[in-house]
Every structure is written in structure tokens, then in C-alpha cells.
Amino acid sequence: MDVDYANKLVGQSVPRTEDLALLTGTARYIDDIRMPGMIYAKVLRSTHAHAHFKLDVSRARTMPGVLGVLTGAELVGKVKPWGDLMQDLLVGDHFAFAIDKVCYEGQEIAAVVAETKYQAMDALEAIDIEYDPLPVVLEADKAILPDAPLLHPNFNYEFGEGNIFDRYRVRIGDIERAEAEADLVVRQRFSSNRQAGAALDPHGCVASYDSFSGMLTLYSSTQSLFMVRDVLADSLQLARNRVRVVAPEVGAGFGSKAQVFAHEVIASIFSLQTGRPVHLVLSRAEVFRVGTARNGQIRHVEMFFKKDGKITGYRDYVIQNSGGSSYWGNQVVHIGTNVGMLPYPVPNIHIDGDIVHTNTAPGGALRGFGIPQINWAKEQLMDIAASELGLDPAHIRDINIVRGDQCPLVTPFGQKVDTTSIDSCLAKAVEVIGWHDKRANKRPYEGVGMSLGMKYTSCRHPSFDTDLSAIRLRLETDGTVTIFSSDVNHGQGHATFLAQIVSDVLGVGFEKIVLAPPDSSNAPFGLGTYASRAAAVLGTACRMAAERLREKIVAIAAHVLEVDAGDLEAGGDRIYVKGLSNTGLYLENLAGYSVYRTHQLPPGFEPTLEATATYDTPTDREAPDGSGNFSVTYAGGCHIAHVRVDPGTGHITILDYVMVHDTGTVINPLIVEGQHQGGFLMGLGMAFGEDYVYDSEGHLLTATFAEYKAPLATDVPELHHLFEIPAPSTTIPGGQKGAGESGTGPVCAALGNAVAHATGVRFTTLPITADRMLLALREKERSGLEIFRYPDDMPDYDGPRGYEDWPKPTGGEGEMFF
Amino acid sequence: MTPFTYFQPAGLEEAFSLVAEHGPGTRLMAGGQSLLLALKERLARPPTVVSLSRIPELSAISYAEDGSLEVGAATTYAQLQKAAFTGWHRHISAIAGNLADRSVRSMGTIGGGACQADPRYDVPTLLVASAARMVIGSIDGMRSIDAAAFFSPAGGTTLGPRDILCRIVFPPAGVFASFGFDKFRFRVFDAAVVNAALAVTTDEAGRITIARLVFGGIAACPSVAGAAGARLCGVQLNEFASLPVADIAAQASEEVLPIATATTRHRQFQSELIKTITTGLLTQAGAPGG
Amino acid sequence: MQTITIHVNGKKVRGTIDERMLLIEFIRDVANLTGTHAGCWEARCGACAVELDGNTVKSCNVLAVQADGCSVFTVESLSQQRLKPVEHVTTQSLAGVYTPLQAIGSSAADLHPLQKAFHTCHALQCGFCTPGMLMVLKGFLAENPSPTREEVRMAIAGNICRCTGYQHIVDAAMMAAETLRAAGP
């Protein structure tokens, strides 16, 4: 009997293998690690947003149980500042502690390590600190003013000065001509909020230095082993092969754990000094204050159109608030703006950006990485233009988007769109929501709004010229397979989808495949899990490694069976001659030959059955004019929201929400569904509630889940209108596209457009909270305006209301910033 | 948390002596849902904590002869939510069952909510609107005061350092011809931005004798819109439709939160919400079966 | 310091503890069960939810001394941990020759209907909020065996999940409710 092993796992909703430990409570997260002799560190953090300070830790050193106290001053000249390890990743503006001046509330000032947590907390209270407060600047457009308080007077930036630590510039086509020849110009200033990843598992680590071997092991709740290892080793001036970073189970990150943090350096120093394992897990308030937040943007956007609705140009001056320090801030503007321009191949683009420091929480990577911010501006301007031209919002998009049948296509901005179904996604979403009916028969306080977005699938960061991930596979001597990877699973289901790929390629049983825990000392070098790269980039490395391993396995089989390798197939845990699936050699036998019976191997065959593959995406570096193809392929989708606004309370109910996505070839549909739903949640939070609210002195008022409005189950609509129209990537060998972030990008604008349709109130700032909504409705009634912009048309708004008041870009016209 | 000595008395008399003995720094704890938040942040640093959760009479629900409902101060919201109440008492269940979230309601108590005295968390508004009596005990004996006198206008309660709130006495199930409660909060488990209750009594002829309209979240203690409420007196409940509801709602709003003082977005929002919620409560009260 | 006893998952656990110790710390550090997670320490996120004398509570906001003498059930109690044969995947040459060793653990077959439904519906991603979700839903479904989706959402409104968008969690709760109803009381 011949069994058909062609029934592949890729494409099936295989329940995840990682679930069992997570469901039964046996999985170990960072705070679950217990080591003999483990001691506890706590950090003293600034209670001021901007201040000089003087410190006396002598009392703390004598407190019961205290084993060590650290301050910034004593580390100067011993610990290297970081931030400049990778090209363009800023100057060395990160350090374990502030030395004599703090630039944001929560910044590290000192730390204590003690036998117990309580002793460490008691000792923190015994540190005497005297602040000398400085004036604060909290908003990006205030930070660029000449009289603004200066955060980092001692740093010299390559492309900035003062609080502007980097600039961004795009010059594509001829924008003056586009403006002169335009039939319609629409302009609006849009601002976006700060948002936290607020992964439920707080940032934290356990550092353990072995004084005998000189090996420092850092267990850390991180998304990227090697980014942490290399920066940590560099900072502490340790050999990189003596720093080992291990990720336990990681309770999500959303980008907020994709960098090294001061607490990782502090715990490591304490462990080096005491020889004991040091536990340092942050509290929720600490995570809010220093665990990084989405970069807030003010975008002054102008778009140029012909009468028929064709976009001819896009001009923008972006001022980005990257907080008191920022590891990823400038990249967010580069990548978010470039990719965020899709799905429109705009011929003339002119963008200036100032990326600034303010006395607020550090700006970091967060799901969407700049795309939600530009989408919020651009997709609302599309609706404004449609309304000015008397066109349907669906139509004006339809005539401008990249279409599937035009692909592969290179846009004027340099993006190589290998495939897309965004045009079909739009059509499908329009049909499912009943768009035309809901537009034609509008009910009071109800409205529909849409947004289109495309999303990178991983990215070649302009800051560091690489976009790689790697997999090593080993066929064990019992026929099982071990996968080694340094890209940390933190909810994406690596153990499952990688095993699906391996099982298909090697014909090995799914249940026989295990993903080794991520450990930098034995995993191949990869960049980490972020930027929607797991399935596509790591998945490709996995496919390549599996194919290499298969080739080796088949070579042994061909030699032993004395047949041509081309006549062999893999399946059912064996290698067999085509058509004879119940014969052949078991993988365990072949693996046995490869290590124990090496005389059975073909002549010249290098023993053992391991294969490693590294996949670096075929993507571009950023060109001087800002153009380039940073992403290997582009996922995308169309979102349409149907909302109802309560005119008595301002509460917004989402009656229906349709998402139609192109995620290419989907490895595991159930996982991808989960990614889209989770991506939506983060977009919803950004749209309707999550925000970093500060008082006038720079104290964060939303540093608890009580105040920080993370959406609850009762705030999220049913998300069953979720569809995939796959346009498999032709660049990625398996056809995958990134799934992690296409659910997030379009949400704010889709909801903003729906609210505008429902009420005539056009929000130009985020989030759209009930209080803002209600007051805008009341003010709109008073003003008699048909279209009311919030906050621009509110009586107490003190920012620029129109184009003539907009600030002009800083920096000389001749310069290029890359 | 800073170190403290923990007592878990089994009876009220023991609790009274402990509180008297250990002095003003002592904190009482029923479910601990608010106190523990403060202890963890070291915002409260009491040397002594006395738990009231193991005193049986503090978590009992019973009826007095006149039909008044007596609720022990350490009765949890979950107990109240599940209690088989009748008449307007059903609103006590509904309010308790819609506070915070499921897990917090298992520990949080009505007495804790009263003594925490944060009007954003519904209990103070309920107590004042329903004119509940607060039964307070100490080593010196028992006494009772009106809910309105329990909450200090500057915030907090008027309890003395040796006092323990023992139980809350709600008027009988049939007292109110109409009772309504509503609130607005951003998310389910959030504190209310505004909560409001309207308790109405009528005479034999069905004319309104008292209409207590109370708001929480506006000030440090529950705010009573006395003048707006007075405008309802003398009217038949079923004649509400003829009342200038929007006007009364606007008056209530102006009364408890004068628009001239509503200078922040939060205050302006509250001012608008008071009108919306009051309009709703009045409309509901006038509706058949309200 | 006080000596207290808490019955954790049916086992008597004694500890001499600082009065400041929270129930979650007792569960994790005295009873050594780390399945109960601390996501906020402020009684908001719900990852620490456990059953205390039949009610679901947030164990980060209860003192261990408050639970003295009480009975606590954690996520570890949901599925049976028992000795069972080690999974034996080398089926080919050695199959049937030796009997596999016994090892402690849960298998998919041992999962509580809620756990099973979470697994089937992909109701967990990072898994950090999952223990709290499971414990709250267990209590809720015992009280309301035939809930609507809206009631499920309300029941878990004290449990924050940042990964799933809650959709699959609600799906799983509905599926588990059906299984539990079919199994009878």
C-alpha cells in the first residue's frame, strides 16, 4: 500500500505545541526563575522629569541585608555608554544610570541589591537625594524652539543639534510641480499619541556570573538575544563568548523588549560584583516609565490631487517625540514613513523630519513601528480629498492603489512590491460591511470609515545593514529533530510553525520536532523576533536549513539503498523510493549511520546530520533621496469600521469591523488570525484610549493599569469578519508575508474616518476618548460648523490651526540625512 | 509594604479593644482591596492592621422589624450581588455587581467602599441617595448616623480613630416609589467619571415628597442637587413627561458643578455627563414601572 | 512573623511568613507553584487570579495571612498531574520491546475543558494572562453555565490580555461552556 505523504502541514491550523506548558502553569517566565543564593535588586528612579541631582548612598549601604549599591558616577569610565554599537543608532546616549542630571521621570539613578526584596526596597528609601529641578519640555513642537530647555547639551549629533537628535529627508520627483499642477490640495496637521506595549509579563532579568569560568549568564525577558548580548558585552567590556543570554518564556513584547535596557546592565554588574545570581524584575509602573513607548508624531501633511482623484504628491513635515532617550526613535520615522506611504505609488514625495528629545518616557519600537502614525494622517487626508472632490472614499483609494496585476512593481519611492491583493481586499471589505448601502442610507450618529495599509515583512533598518535570521537543525540519532534559533518566541508560536515547515520538508513526524530554548551560547546568530519577521524571514531560514538537511539525509539513503537520490522521497519518518512509501530507511537509522556508523556514509560525506541556514533578505539600504526597498515583501489589508457615537456621553461603539488581509502563504491560519486580532487590539487601544498623559512638570499620570486605558474584553467588538486573500510572496521562497502588524496600522484611521462620517467631527489628534468626543460634539453644535476638527476648532486650542501657522522644517535644504 | 502587626479578631468587642489599644496609626481592613494598594506602594505605613473579615456579625445580611435591610460592613460586593433582594434593594445588588471586576468583588466590601469614601466608586452615592444609616461601634458603645453625615465634605469620613463601621441600615424595600442609578466610566473596571442616583418617595396621593438626586465623582464627598430635586416635589411620578427634564438636568449640573468652575476637559465632560445621566434618570423614573 | 496554613490545590502548605507576604507570594514562593503570574501587583491585570474558598480573587491584592486556614486553587489544579508513560517517539526499531518509564505530567487528554478549549481555539499567545483567565472563567462558568458572549466578556473584564484581542478567548469560553454543560453537573 502506498501512503500519500503529500498532505502537508503548512497551511493547516495545527494547535500549538507550546500551549500545554502555558495552560498548566509549568512554563517558566523571568519572575519564575529561582536560583540558589539568588539576591534581589531594586532601582531608585527619578521622581523628576528634568533635574540636576545630588546623591548620598552611605546610609543605604549600611541597611540590613544590603550587599551592594550602585550609582552612575562610580561607573563612569568603567562601563561604556551604548546606543552607538550599530551604525546610525545614535551616539552613546544610554547609560546604566543618570550621572548628575535626569531627563525623564523614572530614569535610573541608583540601585541596591539585598538578600530580600523588602530589604532592597527599604534600602532604596535610605538613599538621600536632592533634586534641583530644571524647566521641562514635553511636546515635540516645543522642543525644537530656540528657547526650549536642552536635554543633552553634551552630545553632538551627526544630523541634528539641540533637542533634535536626528533628521529625516525624502526628495522624490518634483513636488513644486505637483503642487503647481494640482487640481486639489488638502492639508492638515495630525498628531499621534504615545502608547505602551504593556506586555503583561514585565521586563526583567536574572544575571548570574560564574566566577570560575568567567561566564556571565543573563536570563532576560527579551525579544532579541544577540542584540542584548552584543550591547551588554560591549558596555561591560566582556568578551562576547563569555556573555550568554538566555530567554525564558517571554510574556509578549510587541517591540518593547527589542533592545537592551539599563536594568539588564545593572543586574549584570551586581552579579559580577557579588558572584551571586541577581534578580531584577520591573514593576508595572517602571515598565510604563522606562519600558519604552510608541513615538508620538506631529505630521504636517499636504497631499496633491488631480480632479479625477489621482494622487500626484505628498509633502510632510514630521516632528517626532522620542522621549528622553531613544534607541529606535529615528528608525521609526525612516521605516514607518517609507513603508507607510503604501499602497499608493505616489510620484512626488517631499518629507522633512525632526526627531527630538523631550522630558518624557523613552520612545521605542512598538507594533506597527511608525506605520500607524502616518496611516492616521494619510488615510484621513484621503477621505478629506474624496469629500472635496465628491468621490467615494472607496473609489479614490481604488484608483490609486498598487494593484495585484501590476506586480511586480517598483514604486517611485523604491518599494518593490512583489505581489499584493490589496485591491481585492478593498473590494471584499466594501462588500462585507455593506459600504455603499451604509454610505447612502446614513443613520444619525452612525458612520463607516475605511483605511488601507501595507506593512513591511521584516526590514533592513537604515541603521544597520542587515536583515537576517538563522536556523540550525539537527536530526537526532533517534529520528527526532531539534531546531535551534536565537529568535525568541514570545507568543508567535515558533515551536509550532517552524515544526510545520520542518515536518513538511523532512517528512518527519510533527510530534518529533522540538524547538530548543533560545540560548545565545548554542543558537545561530539571528537578529531576533520583531518587525513581523518570524514566519517569513526565520521561516525561510528554516526552510533552507531543512532542505539542506534533507539533501544530506537523502544522500546517505541513496548510498545505502544504491539508488539515485532523485528517485527518493521523504515521508512517514523515512526516506523511500518514489511509489514505495512503506519501504525505505527510517530517519533514525540514517541518523545513526551519520554519527555511529560512519563507514556506511557516502565517500567524502561529512558526518553528522546538521544543517544551518541564514537568510538575509534581498533588500536595499536607504538611498540619499530616502528611497529604497527596505522590506522583502509587503503584507497589507483593508479595514472598515462601522461605529455609533452616543451623543449623550461621547462613547463610541464599534458595531462591526471588517478586516481583509493579504498575508501571503499562511503557515498556520489560526495563528495568523490571532495575530490580526491582537494587532487590531493594539490599534484600538491607540485609537480610543491608551495614552501617556503628563502633568505640566512631566510626571506620568498613566503609569498604572488603573489609569492607562488598555482595552478590556468589553471594549473590543466581535472580530469574526476577518478574511485572507493571499497573494503569495514571490521573493520569499515559501510565499509567506509578515502577519504581526498588518492588523494594527489601519485601525486608528479607519475609526477616525468612521467617527467623522458618523458625526462630522474630524479628529486630528489621538486618542479619540469619550470626553473629547462629547465636548467636540457640543462645540460643533455651538459653532455651526459642518466639519468640525478636534482639537483645531476648539476654543481653547493653542496650536496652529492652519497651514500659515505651521512650523517650517529645520536644517539646510542642501543636506541629505542618511 | 512596611512592616506591621496583623490582628484578626474573631469578635467585635475584641476588635474595639484592639483599635482602642493600638491607637490612631491602626488601619482597619475588611477585604483589603483599597488598603493593600496603598500598603504596596508604601503610601500608607500603618504599624498595625486589624482585619475585620473574620467577625461573623460584620458580614451578615438581615432585616429589621420595620423591613430595613441591615448589611454588615464586611459584606462583600459578591455577596450583595447574589443576595435575593426585593424592591429598590435590588439596586444595591446591581450596583455592587457592577463595581470593579469579578475577582475584586469577591474581596471588596461595602463597608470598605464606604470608609474609603471615594465617591467615584458608587457606594457613597448609593448610601447618601438612599439615606442609609451608618451603625458605628467603638469601645465606648454603638451609635448610628446618617450617611450624609458620615462623609466629610473635605473627603474621607467623620469616623473617629477608635470607631469601626459595623453595619449599614438601608430603608425598607418599599420606601421608594422610584429608585434609579446610573454611571459613566471609560472601561468596565474603571472608577466612574460621574455616577448618580435618584431616590423618590411619594405620599398617599402619589405626589413626590422627597426626590434625592445625588452625584459622585464631582467632589470629595457625594454631591446632592437639592434645588433640582426640590423641583420634582409635588409632582406625580407619571406626570414626569410634562416636566422640563432637560432644564432640570441643566440645573442639577449647574448646582453640583457650576460651569464657571469647569475649566478642565475632565470637568467640562463631567458637566455634560451630569445632564445626560440626570435626563436618563428622570425619564426612567417617570416611565411606567420606574 | 506568623505561621499560617493554606490548603493549596488540596495540599496543606504551612509557612512562617512576614505579615507583608501577599497570597501570590505564598503560592509562588512557599507552595512553589509559579503558574500564578504577577502582571501588575495592582489588582488590575488579573493574571494572578486564583480561587479562594470558592471565590475568584486577585492574589496580588490579598495578604497571605488573610487566607490562613483557607483553601486555594490555582491553575496547576485544573488538569491532573499524574504519572503516565513517557511519550515514546522512537516507534520504529524499539517499539514494544521496553515499557516506557513513568513520568509526572499532564497530557492533552488530562486538560480541563477550559484548557482544552483554549488550546483548540488558540486563545493564548504569550500565555502570561492565561492562568488568570482560566481561573476566572472556571468560577464564572460554574455560576453561569450558559452564558452569552457578552456575559463572558463582562466576566473577564478584570483580566487584561494584550495579545489575542480577546476574540479567541471568548470563543474558547463558549466552547468550554458547551463541553461542561454536556458533561453535566
Side-chain angles (χ1 to χ4, degrees), chain A residues 734-806:
Chain A
Q736 304 97 292
K737 293 180 176 180
E741 297 165 278
S742 30
T744 308
V747 182
C748 291
L751 291 169
N753 283 332
V755 165
H757 184 229
T759 62
V761 177
R762 170 69 62 189
F763 275 82
T764 68
T765 195
L766 285 167
I768 308 173
T769 52
D771 52 340
R772 286 172 164 169
M773 184 76 247
L774 186 63
L775 297 180
L777 282 173
R778 294 290 180 269
E779 196 56 41
K780 179 176 182 290
E781 288 156 18
R782 270 192 281 274
S783 71
L785 289 170
E786 201 167 315
I787 304 289
F788 184 90
R789 294 172 307 161
Y790 184 95
D792 313 38
D793 296 327
M794 293 295 280
D796 59 349
Y797 175 69
D798 61 359
R801 285 198 167 84
Y803 174 65
E804 47 301 333
D805 304 327
W806 286 3

Side-chain angles (χ1 to χ4, degrees), chain A residues 621-786:
Chain A
R621 297 219 64 196
E622 189 175 36
D625 64 0
S627 70
N629 184 55
F630 306 162
S631 175
V632 56
T633 184
Y634 297 88
C638 178
H639 289 198
I640 303 186
H642 178 199
V643 303
R644 181 167 60 216
V645 178
D646 181 337
T649 63
H651 179 75
I652 304 167
T653 306
I654 302 174
L655 300 171
D656 195 3
Y657 200 90
V658 178
M659 293 188 268
V660 188
H661 290 122
D662 162 25
T663 315
T665 302
V666 170
I667 298 172
N668 188 317
L670 203 54
I671 290 180
V672 167
E673 235 179 63
Q675 288 295 318
H676 291 327
Q677 290 160 348
F680 167 80
L681 177 104
M682 208 132 277
L684 175 69
M686 182 178 173
F688 282 176
E690 295 180 39
D691 200 5
Y692 272 46
V693 180
Y694 290 92
D695 70 9
S696 60
E697 291 172 337
H699 299 115
L700 181 60
L701 304 176
T702 50
T704 71
F705 273 131
E707 300 300 327
Y708 186 82
K709 303 274 185 283
L712 309 178
T714 38
D715 299 316
V716 183
E718 290 294 334
L719 298 172
H720 49 265
H721 282 153
L722 180 56
F723 304 91
E724 282 288 339
I725 303 180
S729 168
T730 49
T731 322
I732 292 285
Q736 304 97 292
K737 293 180 176 180
E741 297 165 278
S742 30
T744 308
V747 182
C748 291
L751 291 169
N753 283 332
V755 165
H757 184 229
T759 62
V761 177
R762 170 69 62 189
F763 275 82
T764 68
T765 195
L766 285 167
I768 308 173
T769 52
D771 52 340
R772 286 172 164 169
M773 184 76 247
L774 186 63
L775 297 180
L777 282 173
R778 294 290 180 269
E779 196 56 41
K780 179 176 182 290
E781 288 156 18
R782 270 192 281 274
S783 71
L785 289 170
E786 201 167 315

